[in-house]
Amino acid sequence: MELNRHWWKECVFYQIYPRSFQDSNGDGMGDLRGIINRVDHLVELGIGAIWLGPVFKSPNDDMGYDIADYRDIMEQFGTMADWEELRDKLHANGIKILVDLVVNHTSDEHPWFVEARKSRDNAYHDYYIWRPGRDGREPNNWASFFTPSAWEYNEATDEYYLHLFSKKQPDLNWHNPAVREEVYDLMSWWLDKGADGFRMDVINLLCKTDGLPDASGPVDMNGYVFPTEHMCDRPPIHEYLQEMAKRVYADKDIFTVGECIALTTEEGCRYTAGKKHEIDAVFSFAHIDMDGQPLGKWYYRPWKLPELKSRLFEWQHALKDGWLGLFWSNQDQPRALSRFGTTGKYRFRCAKMLGIILHNLRGTPFVYQGEELGMVNVPWTSTDQLRDVESLNFVANCRRTGAGDEFMWDAVHRKARDNARTPMPWDDSPNGGFTTGEPWIMLNPDYPQVNVAAAKRDPNSVFYFYKKLIELRKGNLIMPYGEPTLLLPEDEQVFAYEKRLDGEHWLIAGNFSDEAVERPLSCLVPGSELILSNVSEKLEADGVLRLQPWEGVIIRLSE
Ligand code: GLC
């Protein structure tokens, strides 16, 4: 079988949220020097590459996803020399580095926008998306991710500009060839600097439906409509990404992974299939969106295990010629244990089981910082503790529309992005060794127990289990490349699948419940061998799968 091997399929990535990883100068905010000082943690874990969140100059309306200068480092995070030192230290340890490419929008403080908003005939005006108002209001009914309307009025030109995110994140006009040139230039600039690829922020939103018509979905609490059908995968997005690949990286051994909102499997294939025509991999949100409703993530929708399995496996089957970034969480999501697993007695066991299930799917696993410790959501008690523009806007919307505290708190505890943005707890000293100053956001109050030092003292910790799982991938091509087949699709407690590659045949299984379970499984024939479990030390291979509560296993099946 032709494997189409690549370094980025065979290693595990680790996502660093720079603001919350390690502070080195006591200002309460993580920085590049802090990351440099913690490279040992990454080396010990055995990861092969990092995705470094945005570290560019930014007024931080959206924590660095609002960029004011793509070629300069945010002051609070350090200097370009620090970035270079980090790059060198990572490379010296065989770790590659992905730059976060945020080019659907810039900051409103980017010099392009500062110019663009001055007058309609400014040379930069057409870098952004402008429309006149309609009946004294916004040009259309689009909702933004972070504010009620996706439009903001600009007095100097008597027009509105489009911002799918906050009003300090104006959307770039990708139809303007000058904009595309600017982006290709800055990408090449980072590759020349030694970046090994890009994580591409909301890359499938670059083009919007021509004419920007009203959206037709459900109306939200503010009277606007989320424009999924007019912003996702709109033409000519594929042509633009092909142009980008050709101009910037088609001939380079780098890795590109695109964050894609509301992505269909057909579009996912178009972006990733083929030899670097567009991008290498996509992050699909099929499993993430499962617990939200059409009105958005804040509206919780209960789910059962068969749905999680089918959402993940739809992608496992569809993306045969393309590639997936696999993840349980990131800086925009709640902690995986709080969302997909359990946070009680079996918390750490469950963390290991979730690792087993994810790392054996076809794709490249991304570990989000703190996942290797078994971190969970935060028991927020006051909205003053929140820092994220999305959450603060949601809170304001709830208060304005009288949505009620119970609904608001349930949503914040379940979904607020700040749940995953609390500082890395390194030890049990004040502020978890993250900072000697006042942290920019509170630590998870369980840090005296759940921290890196404690994990490293405990041979049974999630940390050492992740290390084993990551190590296992190195000798086993079946993990990235094997063909997965879902077993027991309707089972509400057991997530099980087989993988095959050449003569190799594995069974991966996890128990998503507090009860011990037994399931007849004919593939579990005598001679099968337990490779890894978070509970059991031996296997009875007699045609019955036995799993303790939240146990996960990897078994080599005898043919
Ligand atoms: C992506 C980022 C998120 C950011 C948004 C706007 O979804 O992951 O953190 O707020 O894009 O750039």
Side-chain angles (χ1 to χ4, degrees), residues 15 17 51 54 62-66 100 102 104-105 145-146 165-166 169 199 201-202 259 261 285 330-332 388-390 417 421:
Q15 183 192 346
Y17 191 67
W51 150 19
D62 185 21
M63 303 305 170
Y65 281 94
D66 46 323
D100 211 324
V102 187
N104 173 69
H105 45 267
F145 283 91
F146 297 162
F165 295 89
S166 92
Q169 295 170 293
R199 174 268 181 182
D201 194 64
V202 292
E259 180 199 27
I261 309 295
F285 287 80
N330 63 30
Q331 87 286 8
D332 298 331
D388 175 23
V389 59
E390 184 192 49
R417 305 197 295 182
R421 296 179 176 186

Side-chain angles (χ1 to χ4, degrees), residues 49-226:
I50 63 164
W51 150 19
L52 183 66
V55 292
F56 318 102
K57 224 172 209 73
S58 163
N60 286 305
D61 189 55
D62 185 21
M63 303 305 170
Y65 281 94
D66 46 323
I67 297 174
D69 186 343
Y70 289 96
R71 292 176 173 82
D72 203 355
I73 302 292
M74 189 192 301
E75 230 168 273
Q76 300 95 312
F77 286 178
T79 63
M80 192 57 80
D82 294 334
W83 190 91
E84 289 163 359
E85 190 179 328
L86 175 63
R87 168 204 65 196
D88 290 346
K89 190 162 179 189
L90 290 169
H91 284 170
N93 283 286
I95 298 175
K96 307 215 185 227
I97 177 169
L98 294 191
V99 164
D100 211 324
L101 181 78
V102 187
V103 291
N104 173 69
H105 45 267
T106 66
S107 162
D108 66 338
E109 297 182 32
H110 193 291
W112 300 337
F113 191 74
V114 172
E115 283 301 310
R117 72 186 315 167
K118 285 184 182 162
S119 70
R120 293 188 188 199
D121 52 16
N122 187 285
Y124 288 93
H125 188 257
D126 196 36
Y127 270 40
Y128 296 87
I129 301 171
W130 303 94
R131 289 289 182 280
R134 184 173 68 182
D135 309 327
R137 289 196 53 171
E138 300 89 4
N140 69 21
N141 68 355
W142 294 9
S144 131
F145 283 91
F146 297 162
T147 57
S149 163
W151 295 95
E152 185 69 15
Y153 183 66
N154 181 52
E155 217 175 306
T157 57
D158 186 25
E159 290 165 306
Y160 290 78
Y161 63 86
L162 180 71
H163 60 87
L164 292 179
F165 295 89
S166 92
K167 65 179 186 203
K168 286 184 67 62
Q169 295 170 293
D171 280 50
L172 283 165
N173 173 15
W174 269 76
H175 299 311
N176 180 348
V179 167
R180 305 206 296 279
E181 287 308 315
E182 299 267 16
V183 171
Y184 305 154
D185 271 5
L186 75 91
M187 291 176 76
S188 300
W189 192 85
W190 278 103
L191 292 181
D192 290 344
K193 261 214 166 300
D196 301 291
F198 300 99
R199 174 268 181 182
M200 300 177 163
D201 194 64
V202 292
I203 200 68
N204 70 329
L205 306 190
L206 300 185
C207 303
K208 286 80 182 170
T209 302
D210 278 346
L212 310 178
D214 278 337
S216 62
V219 177
D220 70 12
M221 62 166 92
N222 299 302
Y224 297 95
V225 178
F226 205 61

